[in-house]
């Protein structure tokens, strides 16, 4: 097999063009659907549209990772120096012949490149969002969203693209792949925070104790997502068989080498093969922490349910927590089915979205968590004030 340059920028314009093509269809729909809407409403709609497509991108990224397609094209940003796998057919044929079930096949190459096109398309939408927000802010300084929000989001998505490149060029280095996942879900949170800031989403008063609980649940959720990403990127999903025990034991033998952050995939920091017990430890820690996070989510949703304007969000948290429990168990007892694994990532992303939304539309009131709750009316609420 011939060597491949890890970075080959020759096809970068064609790849960017493909990303633009992916962005055109939702952009055309957005322009037509909101052609008569005020500028602020149009920007809100574009933000929500970008949020939706970012969520889809996270799901497709999970699909790419779970089908072992992350190295379907071993260089960046193209595929063997071409903008599509069609131009790299000879190289892919050679790699697939040498290793039929290896990281490079025609199917995996297409999955990886479609993921890159989608990511570029989302980047195009965020660039447009940033430019339009700056223009509107210049005309209307009182606009609800600061121009720095989409600008920071644009910088964030550029960093996400850099981690995407490093994921390939550093051969699925676990720390890089996990950071790539966290940055992707972080992008979702940033877009959600901007969508909330537009007119119509006013603050709901929440007892201060429950709002602190909401922040705690949010922090624990991020920790659990990081642990889950570490399980996935180290291929430790099946290292703990059986439930509720792990490999027939309630407390398996633990080896913490798996939590060394700066090491190659499947190896220790000293370059030795990572022992299976280290993979078991990674899985067991994630599984154990899941119960704590689940309890926190159920408790905070129960508290938010007492706030009339937060009941739908509370129900969404309960539903998503149940989905995470079901898909997490399915990954173990059904030997990691692809659908359940993708849904597990999607459920975690949706929980971040819901909790981010809840935090952004709420603020603490001056009473204790056991006292009455006062609600501020939203401009979307047509019911008469009490």
């Amino acid at each position: 097999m011939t060597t491949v340059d890890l970075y080959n920028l020759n096809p970068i314009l064609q790849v960017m063009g493909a990303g633009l093509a992916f962005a055109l269809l939702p952009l055309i729909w957005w322009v037509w659907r909101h052609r008569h809407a005020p500028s602020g409403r149009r920007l809100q709609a574009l933000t929500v549209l970008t949020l939706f497509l970012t969520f889809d991108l996270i799901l497709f990224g999970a699909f790419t990772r779970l089908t072992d397609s992350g190295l379907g094209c071993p260089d960046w940003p193209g595929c063997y120096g071409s903008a599509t796998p069609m131009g790299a057919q000879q190289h892919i044929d050679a790699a697939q012949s040498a290793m039929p079930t290896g990281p490079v096949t025609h199917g995996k190459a297409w999955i990886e490149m479609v993921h890159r096109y989608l990511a570029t398309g989302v980047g195009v939408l965020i660039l447009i969002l940033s430019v339009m927000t700056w223009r509107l802010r210049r005309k209307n300084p009182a606009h609800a969203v600061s121009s720095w929000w989409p600008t920071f989001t644009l910088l964030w998505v550029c960093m996400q693209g850099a981690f995407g490149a490093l994921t390939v060029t550093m051969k699925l280095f676990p720390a890089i792949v996990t950071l790539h996942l966290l940055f992707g879900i972080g992008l979702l949170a940033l877009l959600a925070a901007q969508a909330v800031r537009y007119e119509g989403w006013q603050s709901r008063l929440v007892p201060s104790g429950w709002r602190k609980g909401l922040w705690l649940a949010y922090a624990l959720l991020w920790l659990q997502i990081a642990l889950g990403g570490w399980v996935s990127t180290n291929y430790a999903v099946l290292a703990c068989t059986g439930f509720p025990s792990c490999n027939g034991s309630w407390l398996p033998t633990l080896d913490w080498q798996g939590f060394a952050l700066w090491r190659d995939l499947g190896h220790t920091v000293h370059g030795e093969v990572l022992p299976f017990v280290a993979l078991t430890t990674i899985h067991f820690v994630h599984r154990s922490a899941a119960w704590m996070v689940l309890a926190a989510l159920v408790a905070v949703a129960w508290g938010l349910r007492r706030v009339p304007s937060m009941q739908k969000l509370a129900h969404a948290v309960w539903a998503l927590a149940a989905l995470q429990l079901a898909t997490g168990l399915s990954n173990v007892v059904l030997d990691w089915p692809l659908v359940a694994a993708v849904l597990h990532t999607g459920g975690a992303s949706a929980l971040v979205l819901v909790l981010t939304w809840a935090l952004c539309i709420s603020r603490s009131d001056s009473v204790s968590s056991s006292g009455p709750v006062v609600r501020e009316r939203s401009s979307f609420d047509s019911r008469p004030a009490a």
Side-chain angles (χ1 to χ4, degrees), residues 77-143:
C79 193
Y80 289 97
S82 298
T84 72
M86 290 186 293
Q89 186 170 355
Q90 181 178 354
H91 296 283
I92 297 173
D93 282 339
Q96 190 169 339
S97 298
M99 193 179 297
T101 59
V104 179
T105 65
H106 286 283
K108 293 179 180 180
W110 273 110
I111 291 172
E112 170 64 6
M113 287 308 299
V114 169
H115 179 235
R116 296 182 193 180
Y117 300 150
L118 289 173
T120 306
V122 168
V124 169
L125 292 175
I126 292 174
L127 175 61
I128 294 172
L129 184 64
S130 179
V131 171
M132 291 188 64
T133 305
W134 275 102
R135 290 183 61 187
L136 180 59
R137 189 78 174 185
R138 186 174 300 174
K139 295 179 181 178
N140 180 15
H143 177 53

Side-chain angles (χ1 to χ4, degrees), residues 237-307:
V237 175
L238 300 180
C240 231
T241 58
F243 182 83
S245 62
C246 173
N247 299 334
S249 173
W250 290 101
L251 182 61
T253 303
L254 302 179
D255 184 339
W256 299 96
Q257 292 184 86
F259 283 96
L261 297 181
W262 204 252
R263 57 176 179 78
D264 291 326
L265 177 62
H267 294 81
T268 67
V269 292
H270 303 295
E272 302 168 347
V273 175
L274 193 69
F276 184 78
V277 67
L279 299 179
T280 301
T281 303
I282 294 172
H283 182 120
F284 185 74
V285 169
H286 175 62
R287 181 191 291 194
S288 301
W291 296 112
M292 176 179 62
V293 178
L294 181 64
L297 291 173
V298 170
V300 77
W302 182 83
L304 292 178
R305 189 173 178 273
R306 299 175 61 237
V307 183

